[in-house]
Each structure stands twice: as structure tokens, then as C-alpha cells.
Amino acid sequence: MTRPPLRVGVIGVGLMGSDHAERIALRTAGVLLAGVTDPDTERARALAERLGTTVHDDPFALIASPDVDAVVVASPGFVHEDQVLACLEHGKGVLCEKPLTMDDESSLRLVEAEEALGRRLVTVGFMRRFDPEYTAVKAALASGAHGRLLLLHNTHRNRSVPNADFRSEMIVRDSLAHEVDASRFLFGQEVVEVTVLSPAPTSHAGAGVVDPQVAVFRMSGGGLVTNEVFVNSQVGYEVRFEAVAERGSLTAGLASSGVLCTRVTTDGGAWGGVVPDDYRTRFARAYDAEVQAWADAVRAGTAVGPSAWDGYAATAVSTAGMASLASGLPVPVRLATQPALYAGDD
Ligand code: ISE
């Protein structure tokens, strides 16, 4: 017997939420876009009309709706806790964009709520785990051919971010969070200490904003990660890494979307190819794979991808990272004991 389609509601239809809504309506098998909601009702109405779905008055009405089986939370991070909690209360699978919440205490509350339920319903939108290059490097490392992973060098650049209301901490919490998760994924270890260094900032950053930033992670197995995050690079979206193992190094992100970005300048782009505009282009394959895998898992009554625990571990590093950004000193990351529900997750 064929299963009925999964009816998915999307909360928040800004850049990421509208991208997901379109993906669900047009490019994901076995799902239906069952509704959208956004504080900007005009934006929600226009999208709903274009994609042929309904608008819900508020996120909690959408979550509670009998016509919605599962939810994508793409609202700002500061409202995630209540929305994810409501999904858990209604027993609905939820794909929550990062960050899971704004700090480690609130993320841990979600871990505890899910643990009390006794089954995984939360997937956190760290899409890089679904990117073919990241998974290829992970598999190559797991094969043992290269020995232990020793070092990881991450580069993460955005063309620009809106200057109004932008704060340096947002680089740690909203951007570096991806490197936190990618490092945990590739090493298979926790980040135990974080240091955020503040070089002289670019003149393109807003007043008082430290951009770029350099962060160093110590991993629980003794490995080190260096991270450059530069959100006003003026060029485009560059995300790449080099993983240095005992026998050989593995690089990802140079040939994303089939282009080579060997030399990158503002005067006419890049030698050898084009720099992607933003994450929706660079990680389009990853987002498609993430949403498909999530929908398939929810339909099958299972869970896939980064868990609430992964979301919590990332916010714990971000919380420590924001303290380090303020002090310039290394800050230890202390995690709660991992509940059995998450044991054996990748
Ligand atoms: C944004 O929220 C994302 O998640 C992007 O992947 C990241 O590159 C960007 O810096 C963040 O602001």
C-alpha cells in the first residue's frame, strides 16, 4: 500500500523558509506543502498564492492543525524554543533551521523534552551533512585509509550581511555554528574549547562589528580546527575546508557546483569559474537531499540527520564562543551527559 504524502507546514518564509517552501512544493517526493505562516502576512500570502497553499494565522495554529503532519521551522532563532516544543507536544516531526535556540540552556531544555518523549522528532538544519563533498570526505576518513584526522581548516565567507542591527556575536551564533557542526561531524568528536580572535575588521562591517573572525576549536580527541568566518567579503559565498590526516589531506569546496574558485577578486569574479552568490546556490544539492531525507524519515516514523543533541552541542560551543569573543580568551565547552536516545548517532 502506498503511504499518503507527508503534509508539511513551513513557519517563517524569509530567505530560507521560502526556499524550503518552494523545495517542498516543487522538488520533494512524497510531500505536500500544507501551509505557511509568517509575521509578515503579505509575504506569506504572496508565497502561498504562488505555491498553491494556505496561510495560517500563527505558528502555533499551523503546528496544531490536523492538516499538518510535520513542520519546517525557519523563523528567527529566538522563537525556536517554543515552536519546537509545540511540535514535540503535538508529536510532529520538525526540521528546525539552525541555531536550534539562542543558548545552551534553552537547547538543553529541548533535548530533555525529546528525551522525555522517548523518540527523536527533531532534525536540525545543518545541511552540510547532506552535501556530497562533506559526506565523501567523511567516508574517506572513516575508511581508515588516511589514518586519524589531525587538523581541519575551514573557510566561510559571505558576500555581505545587512549592517543594520548586525552584531559581532551573530557571526559566532549564526555562521560559525556551521563549522561547529561540520567539525563535530568530520571528527566524530565534541568541541571542548573555543577561542575567538578578533583581527582588525574590514571597513565594510558596521560600526563596532568584528568581521572577519578567526576561531580555534580544540576537539575532544586532541585535534585542532581553525576557522575563518568573514561575512562581508564583498565577493560571494565561499565555503571550503581542508582536512589534514596522518596520511594525506582532503579538500572540499573548491569545485562546488562544478566551478573552480582558485583565485577570487572583486574585479570581475574568479579565475576558473564563478563564486556562488549565497548558501542557497552553494548548498542547493545539500538542502534538497536534507529535506528529502527528513521527509522520508518522518513518513517512515524514524529520524535522520543532526539531532536535538547536535543542535544543543552547537549552541553550547556558540555560547562559549560568544564569551571568548568578548574576552579574547579560550573558553571551555561543558556539555551535559548525552541521553541514551542519541547514543550511536553519527
Ligand atoms: C546564515 O544564517 C546561514 O546559515 C549561512 O549558511 C551562513 O553562511 C551565513 O553566514 C548565515 O548568516
Side-chain angles (χ1 to χ4, degrees):
M1 211 177 69
T2 48
R3 283 200 199 104
L6 185 76
R7 299 165 303 169
V8 178
V10 176
I11 300 177
V13 291
L15 270 191
M16 204 60 245
S18 56
D19 200 51
H20 278 323
E22 193 170 305
R23 173 170 294 108
I24 286 158
L26 308 176
R27 301 197 290 283
T28 311
V31 300
L32 280 179
L33 181 63
V36 296
T37 183
D38 194 282
D40 182 340
T41 47
E42 186 42 39
R43 175 161 86 171
R45 200 200 48 73
L47 184 76
E49 201 164 283
R50 184 162 70 79
L51 298 176
T53 192
T54 48
V55 179
H56 290 259
D57 289 343
D58 74 74
F60 300 101
L62 179 144
I63 294 166
S65 166
D67 299 327
V68 169
D69 304 316
V71 179
V72 170
V73 170
S75 47
F78 60 87
V79 292
H80 285 182
E81 184 182 0
D82 287 348
Q83 294 176 356
V84 172
L85 206 53
C87 291
L88 291 177
E89 281 163 7
H90 285 85
K92 295 189 178 177
V94 51
L95 173 61
C96 178
E97 269 306 323
K98 40 64 45 183
L100 177 57
T101 65
M102 302 299 268
D103 59 32
D104 51 341
E105 287 170 9
S106 48
S107 288
L108 188 57
R109 285 196 286 274
L110 291 181
V111 165
E112 288 166 353
E114 193 178 46
E115 188 197 4
L117 212 59
R119 63 189 174 118
R120 274 197 53 191
L121 285 178
V122 180
T123 296
V124 180
F126 286 121
M127 75 298 186
R128 292 188 192 177
R129 292 193 188 213
F130 294 90
D131 180 74
E133 292 181 84
Y134 281 70
T135 53
V137 171
K138 171 93 175 157
L141 290 170
S143 75
H146 303 286
R148 264 187 318 121
L149 178 58
L150 305 172
L151 293 169
L152 183 63
H153 303 291
N154 290 312
T155 301
H156 180 168
R157 301 191 188 128
N158 295 183
R159 174 178 291 137
S160 60
V161 286
N163 276 347
D165 300 329
F166 191 85
R167 285 173 290 106
S168 305
E169 302 84 67
M170 291 157 84
I171 296 180
V172 177
R173 197 177 43 220
D174 297 325
S175 306
L176 180 66
H178 284 293
E179 276 66 40
V180 175
D181 188 66
S183 303
R184 295 180 65 253
F185 176 62
L186 292 171
F187 271 94
Q189 297 168 13
E190 296 297 350
V191 177
V192 292
E193 183 190 88
V194 52
T195 310
V196 179
L197 302 169
S198 312
T202 170
S203 53
H204 295 292
V209 172
V210 179
D211 179 37
Q213 296 177 13
V214 173
V216 180
F217 304 152
R218 265 185 205 289
M219 304 304 292
S220 48
L224 274 185
V225 183
T226 62
N227 305 278
E228 174 208 311
V229 186
F230 186 13
V231 300
N232 287 284
S233 74
Q234 305 300 296
V235 176
Y237 197 69
E238 295 178 78
V239 170
R240 54 178 167 264
F241 70 78
E242 191 169 359
V244 183
E246 289 174 305
R247 292 182 299 279
S249 64
L250 301 98
T251 303
L254 281 178
S256 316
S257 327
V259 299
L260 267 182
C261 315
T262 313
R263 185 172 63 85
V264 178
T265 65
T266 49
D267 58 355
W271 177 85
V274 179
V275 182
D277 266 353
D278 66 21
Y279 40 93
R280 290 168 302 172
T281 324
R282 162 67 179 87
F283 284 112
R285 288 175 304 180
Y287 285 122
D288 285 352
E290 171 194 67
V291 172
Q292 187 67 64
W294 170 73
D296 291 347
V298 176
R299 284 178 92 202
T302 59
V304 74
S307 65
W309 175 263
D310 295 311
Y312 157 68
T315 45
V317 180
S318 300
T319 304
M322 289 187 280
S324 177
L325 175 70
S327 68
L329 298 172
V331 176
V333 179
R334 297 190 208 291
L335 294 181
T337 306
Q338 191 186 55
L341 183 61
Y342 307 101
D345 281 0
D346 207 2

